Amino acid sequence: MKQSKRKKLETKGWKVGAAADFLNLTPEEELFIDMKISLSRSLKELRIRKRLNQVDFAKLIKSSQSRVAKMEAGSASVSFDLLIKSLLALGASEKDLAKAIRL
Amino acid sequence: MKQSKRKKLETKGWKVGAAADFLNLTPEEELFIDMKISLSRSLKELRIRKRLNQVDFAKLIKSSQSRVAKMEAGSASVSFDLLIKSLLALGASEKDLAKAIRL
DNA sequence: TGCATATATGTCATATTTGACATACACTTA
DNA sequence: TAAGTGTATGTCAAATATGACATATATGCA
């Protein structure tokens, strides 16, 4: 993994693998994180395109501004389930999600 | 929603929405469930293609046979996170997952 | 029939994720 | 400068998902 990418993840609460050791990140773990980050990006993009601020979007999905911020920051404490629910709430289709995973 | 589909979900622990009322299933909720079920199917398919039984696969992902069964049954108690981790463990790529979501 | 293998279902203590809240930070504009 | 707006970060009790376990069911085969 590139040094720059590693640094980025460390700050977001990602403790991957048993040893929380970024040197031992398996390819699957990296893919898993990459996909979440991809969804994060799509979420932020979509929210902004809909001209919603984090507070209003949080209300829309019955969550909180802080959690929206964490979603968009690619925080490790956010599940795929929440990301996907959020994207669907913004009107994303299955096709959109399939695309978003890989962006 | 079709009657047949509704019946199927009811048996798998899906209590959707506040009222657990299948008559009030929003399109987003339905999409959410559909996607999980799609991943379930792909998972089962991939596992069998790799000639693993549920016990051995459970060991591979450090889980249990019962949870693998629940994953493949499309149980409501299974998260996207676990489904995706499992698929990645079977060698699925981001592309594969993007496809699997929509099958 | 009994035995082996594979899968399904239910329960539960533990682990993780959640929304809520407080508060900090960044930026604009008056 | 202060006030307003939007976003980020940390904490925590409650909600949800988890692996482990027991047990049930199904199928094949001696």
Side-chain angles (χ1 to χ4, degrees), chain B residues 20-88:
Chain B
D21 184 357
F22 279 93
L23 302 172
N24 296 5
L25 195 54
T26 69
E28 297 87 42
E29 286 170 335
E30 199 172 345
L31 266 177
F32 185 80
I33 295 176
D34 283 348
M35 290 173 66
K36 278 200 182 180
I37 294 178
S38 295
L39 292 182
S40 291
R41 280 202 242 285
S42 296
L43 179 64
K44 181 162 193 172
E45 221 178 278
L46 242 182
R47 175 182 63 79
I48 290 175
R49 197 182 313 160
K50 297 242 170 181
R51 300 183 205 292
L52 291 167
N53 60 28
Q54 290 183 344
V55 171
D56 289 340
F57 177 54
K59 277 174 194 158
L60 179 67
I61 61 172
K62 298 186 206 315
S63 178
S64 60
Q65 180 270 326
S66 60
R67 191 132 301 271
V68 172
K70 277 157 194 156
M71 279 198 257
E72 294 184 353
S75 163
S77 79
V78 175
S79 71
F80 269 104
D81 295 65
L82 187 61
L83 284 167
I84 290 174
K85 271 181 201 168
S86 300
L87 282 160
L88 292 176

Side-chain angles (χ1 to χ4, degrees), chain A residues 3-98:
Chain A
Q3 181 72 17
S4 60
K5 182 173 181 183
R6 187 174 144 199
K7 205 53 170 282
K8 219 171 203 171
L9 291 180
E10 281 172 346
T11 65
K12 296 190 179 174
W14 288 104
K15 301 196 191 81
V16 186
D21 184 355
F22 278 91
L23 301 172
N24 295 5
L25 196 54
T26 70
E28 296 86 44
E29 287 170 335
E30 199 171 345
L31 266 177
F32 185 81
I33 295 176
D34 283 348
M35 291 173 66
K36 279 201 182 180
I37 294 178
S38 295
L39 292 181
S40 291
R41 280 203 242 284
S42 295
L43 179 65
K44 181 162 192 171
E45 220 178 278
L46 242 181
R47 173 181 65 78
I48 290 175
R49 198 182 314 160
K50 296 241 169 180
R51 299 184 205 291
L52 290 167
N53 60 27
Q54 292 183 344
V55 171
D56 289 340
F57 177 54
K59 278 175 194 156
L60 179 67
I61 61 172
K62 299 186 205 314
S63 179
S64 59
Q65 180 269 329
S66 61
R67 191 133 301 272
V68 173
K70 276 156 195 158
M71 280 199 257
E72 294 183 353
S75 163
S77 79
V78 174
S79 70
F80 268 104
D81 295 64
L82 187 61
L83 283 167
I84 290 175
K85 272 182 201 166
S86 300
L87 282 160
L88 292 176
L90 284 172
S93 66
E94 281 168 308
K95 188 172 179 176
D96 294 332
L97 288 179

